């Protein structure tokens, strides 16, 4: 294998999530929060004044989008299924909505795309949120029941399942920094939530494995961030980088690897993964005393501005290599389940893609068993608390007409996929 070639069978695709692309996910807590925002203040809660609304109308246009993805050389898509559609009221499962997702997966398969599916991607049904959401330990059993229903229902269509997308984002952004609903700022509650997401992951893993009618692989999707002290000589910056890493990265890795939650052993947690998904976007430079910069981080003066994206995230390709090696040490196959750049500068997007794929290739060389790469995202979509003014798509979406227009990077990516090489 030449230094620029990927292993045979390496799986190439892109990723989306239900709430961000489907449109009208009216029964989840994000929708409710967006609507509450409109009632509470002019412009609402979302930074650019938007709400998810019709999103990309993927709920109705999925087949056209799959055709486009196939034309763009994709071999696979990572989507999520919307729990609040399938279980709109506690314990009431809507077979028609499950059937919708059967059609979505069938459409992918017909177009030669491998469907990989996330069971929980940020959104809770309103009923679950009203009962405390992630603070309620029952989330684990609710999600396990939902997972069993979905995995059984989709049957042999899906062989690669993801339990929870970025389980540390709810604790961090929802309960520590108050940026995502329910917008709490309380480290104690954040820790309760972190524990509950880990226990819910374990429950979903077990339920999905038991419900599967075919051979499946199931794993978590971790948001991995590369933390560094802003000033490497500062003990306080170092300590902050370490504690951030321990919470955002190591909390889950240790749970999976050692079966511990905050150092306490928990039954059946160790090894509860067949694969690991890594979402990687950024380096965060930690500056003690700056308070809640959360994931936007501080900046070093000499840093080229072009490598800060529309989110304010600092692009740092080598962090991907390091995170893949770290995830790889858990001894199971790893997928890059998300990686991308929010920008309207497509030259930067292409450079970003190459730079990161080089690092994926490097991680493979160094022994990480990386099996695939999913760009975030197939198309521009509703970027949570930031709204529609962040452009992650290989395909641009006209907000007026919802027309899809592939960006130049989409064709570069198609050629990379064809060659299985950079
Ligand atoms: C990740 C999320 C995904 C998307 C990207 C930009 O944290 O999983 O839904 O919003 O960031």
């Amino acid at each position: 294998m030449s230094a620029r070639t990927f292993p045979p069978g390496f799986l190439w695709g892109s990723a989306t999530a239900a709430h961000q692309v489907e449109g009208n996910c009216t029964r989840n807590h994000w929708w409710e929060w967006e609507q509450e925002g409109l009632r509470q203040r002019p412009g609402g809660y979302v930074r650019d004044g938007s709400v998810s609304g019709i999103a990309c109308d993927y709920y109705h246009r999925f087949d056209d989008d799959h055709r486009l993805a196939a034309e763009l050389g994709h071999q696979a898509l990572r989507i999520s299924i919307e729990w609040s559609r399938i279980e709109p009221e506690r314990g009431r499962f809507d077979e028609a909505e499950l059937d919708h997702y059967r059609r979505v997966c069938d459409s992918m398969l017909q177009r030669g795309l491998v469907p990989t599916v996330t069971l929980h991607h940020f959104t809770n049904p309103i009923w679950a949120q009203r009962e405390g959401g992630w603070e309620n330990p029952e989330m684990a059993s609710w999600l396990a029941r939902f997972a069993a229903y979905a995995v059984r229902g989709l049957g042999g269509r899906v062989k690669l399942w993801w339990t929870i997308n970025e389980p540390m984002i709810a604790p961090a952004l929802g309960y520590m920094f108050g940026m995502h609903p329910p917008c709490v700022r309380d480290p104690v509650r954040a820790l309760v939530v972190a524990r509950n997401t880990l226990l819910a992951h374990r429950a979903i893993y077990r339920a999905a494995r038991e419900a599967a009618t075919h051979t499946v692989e199931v794993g978590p999707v971790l948001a991995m961030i590369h933390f560094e002290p802003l000033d490497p000589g500062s003990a306080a910056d170092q300590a902050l980088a370490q504690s951030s890493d321990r919470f955002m990265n190591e909390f889950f890795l240790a749970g999976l690897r050692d079966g511990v939650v905050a150092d306490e052993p928990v039954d059946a947690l160790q090894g509860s993964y067949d694969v690991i998904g890594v979402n990687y976007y950024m380096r965060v430079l930690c500056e003690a005393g700056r308070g809640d910069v959360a994931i936007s981080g501080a900046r070093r003066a000499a840093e080229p501005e072009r490598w800060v994206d529309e989110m304010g995230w600092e692009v740092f390709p080598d962090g991907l290599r390091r995170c893949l090696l770290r995830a790889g040490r858990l001894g199971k196959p790893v997928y890059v389940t998300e990686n991308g750049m929010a920008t309207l500068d497509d030259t930067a997007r292409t450079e970003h893609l190459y730079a990161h794929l080089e690092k994926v290739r490097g991680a493979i060389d160094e022994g990480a068993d990386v099996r695939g790469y999913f760009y975030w995202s197939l198309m521009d979509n509703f970027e949570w608390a930031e709204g529609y003014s962040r452009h992650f798509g290989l395909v641009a979406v006209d907000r007026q007409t919802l027309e899809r227009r592939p960006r130049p990077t989409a064709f570069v990516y198609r050629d990379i996929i064809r060659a299985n090489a950079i």
Side-chain angles (χ1 to χ4, degrees), residues 8-133:
F10 193 85
L11 195 60
W12 297 97
S14 63
T16 60
H19 188 74
Q20 296 176 275
V21 295
E22 284 185 353
N24 294 318
C25 291
T26 59
R27 291 168 182 272
N28 73 41
H29 82 297
W30 268 87
W31 181 278
E32 194 180 44
W33 179 76
E34 294 159 27
Q35 298 302 317
E36 183 199 296
L38 292 183
R39 289 192 298 274
Q40 289 303 321
R41 61 178 192 225
Y45 291 156
V46 175
R47 191 189 295 258
D48 65 2
S50 58
V51 289
S52 56
I54 184 95
C56 307
D57 196 26
Y58 174 75
Y59 191 80
H60 297 107
R61 300 174 191 226
F62 63 85
D63 193 46
D64 285 342
D65 289 330
H66 298 164
R67 179 173 41 76
L68 180 57
E71 278 166 19
L72 294 171
H74 281 43
Q75 302 166 341
L77 284 177
R78 172 177 169 241
I79 61 160
S80 76
I81 55 177
E82 179 58 35
W83 179 16
S84 65
R85 288 192 194 273
I86 296 177
E87 190 181 356
E89 289 158 37
R90 183 173 174 174
R92 182 172 74 76
F93 289 85
D94 188 337
E95 187 68 22
E97 292 292 350
L98 182 67
D99 217 42
H100 168 78
Y101 289 112
R102 286 194 189 102
R103 288 195 298 278
V104 170
C105 292
D106 285 341
S107 148
M108 280 188 227
L109 290 164
Q110 276 154 20
R111 301 200 177 275
L113 300 167
V114 174
T116 88
V117 177
T118 310
L119 287 153
H120 185 282
H121 196 124
F122 287 3
T123 53
N124 296 333
I126 290 171
W127 64 261
Q129 197 65 18
R130 295 234 163 106
E131 300 200 38

Side-chain angles (χ1 to χ4, degrees), residues 131-395:
E131 300 200 38
W134 281 119
E135 287 182 277
N136 190 334
E138 279 194 74
M139 273 289 273
S141 55
W142 298 335
L143 274 163
R145 188 178 50 179
F146 161 65
Y149 180 79
V151 170
R152 201 176 304 119
L154 291 178
R157 294 171 182 84
V158 183
K159 306 210 165 63
L160 187 51
W161 286 94
W162 305 107
T163 57
I164 305 177
N165 180 70
E166 303 189 339
M168 294 306 288
I169 291 298
L173 299 192
Y175 290 86
M176 185 101 92
F177 295 114
M179 294 161 69
H180 284 184
C183 300
V184 172
R185 292 164 175 260
D186 181 341
V188 177
R189 288 170 72 182
L191 205 59
V192 169
V193 167
R195 181 187 162 83
N196 286 345
T197 60
L198 195 44
L199 296 180
H201 158 77
R202 175 186 66 163
I204 299 172
Y205 174 77
R206 207 188 301 162
R209 296 284 314 223
E210 279 168 14
T213 52
H214 297 70
T215 310
V216 291
E217 291 179 304
V218 185
V221 168
L222 308 181
M224 293 193 74
I225 296 174
H226 177 70
F227 292 98
E228 276 180 30
L230 176 69
D231 172 2
S234 147
D237 289 3
Q238 275 174 28
L240 181 61
Q242 263 166 27
S243 60
S244 304
D245 181 76
R246 216 175 310 126
F247 190 59
M248 293 304 294
N249 297 323
E250 192 56 25
F251 186 89
F252 236 82
L253 290 173
L256 300 167
R257 182 185 61 227
D258 309 326
V260 293
V261 179
D263 295 333
E264 288 199 14
V266 170
D267 232 27
L269 178 59
Q270 188 175 36
S272 58
Y273 57 98
D274 311 316
V275 286
I276 297 204
V278 172
N279 291 357
Y280 176 79
Y281 289 93
M282 72 193 107
R283 172 170 79 175
V284 169
L285 295 173
C286 299
E287 185 182 17
R290 259 190 60 164
D292 60 349
V293 281
I295 51 179
S296 55
R299 301 275 175 259
R300 287 187 186 136
E303 157 195 306
E305 266 303 303
R306 198 144 84 84
W307 287 108
V308 177
D309 77 356
E310 291 172 337
M311 302 288 286
W313 294 348
E314 191 209 348
V315 173
F316 182 70
D318 198 50
L320 177 56
R321 183 184 62 85
R322 300 183 207 194
C323 290
L324 289 173
L325 288 170
R326 192 165 167 191
R329 283 197 284 276
L330 269 64
K332 296 279 172 66
V334 177
Y335 287 82
V336 179
T337 32
E338 288 179 27
N339 174 235
M341 182 177 187
T343 180
L344 283 172
D345 173 356
D346 223 56
T347 311
R349 188 190 307 284
T350 299
E351 265 181 55
H352 173 284
L353 177 66
Y354 271 111
H356 284 81
L357 289 177
E358 264 167 30
K359 298 299 178 179
V360 176
R361 190 60 192 75
I364 294 172
D365 258 345
E366 289 177 61
D369 184 6
V370 188
R371 300 281 179 94
Y373 177 90
F374 291 75
Y375 191 81
W376 183 272
S377 176
L378 173 60
M379 57 189 139
D380 288 347
N381 58 48
F382 180 70
E383 179 46 39
W384 306 111
E386 310 289 320
Y388 286 108
S389 49
R390 305 291 181 263
H391 306 90
F392 278 102
L394 290 169
V395 175

